[in-house]
Amino acid sequence: IHCLALPFLLLLAPNLGIEFLENQYIENSILTIAAIISSYNILNGFKVHKSQGLLYFLLLTLLSLFMHYISS
């Protein structure tokens, strides 16, 4: 259950007084680590299942993260 709760706690953290998560470096680090882990898992899943939908989802997600980096 912690895997489901952690993203919500990270979203609520600034409202709960956890100020270090407002740091841009921390945010970029968390997003980069998440992108690397997700890419690794999706690419391994593609090797097994051969579903191109996963690759499109990965591309869309990485493009969204890149756009976030550019805009901030």
Side-chain angles (χ1 to χ4, degrees):
I1 194 159
H2 70 278
C3 293
L4 295 173
L6 185 60
F8 293 110
L9 290 175
L10 287 174
L11 287 173
L12 293 175
N15 295 330
L16 298 174
I18 302 174
E19 302 292 328
F20 76 94
L21 289 175
E22 291 181 5
N23 185 344
Q24 190 68 32
Y25 177 74
I26 298 293
E27 179 184 354
N28 289 341
S29 299
I30 291 171
L31 287 174
T32 301
I33 291 168
I36 291 169
I37 292 171
S38 299
S39 298
Y40 175 78
N41 288 328
I42 288 176
L43 291 174
N44 280 339
F46 174 73
K47 289 177 186 176
V48 172
H49 300 290
K50 306 288 189 235
S51 173
Q52 289 183 342
L54 289 173
L55 292 180
Y56 294 135
F57 181 72
L58 175 63
L59 181 63
L60 180 64
T61 304
L62 293 177
L63 182 63
S64 298
L65 286 174
F66 180 71
M67 296 302 291
H68 174 75
Y69 282 134
I70 289 174
S71 67
S72 59

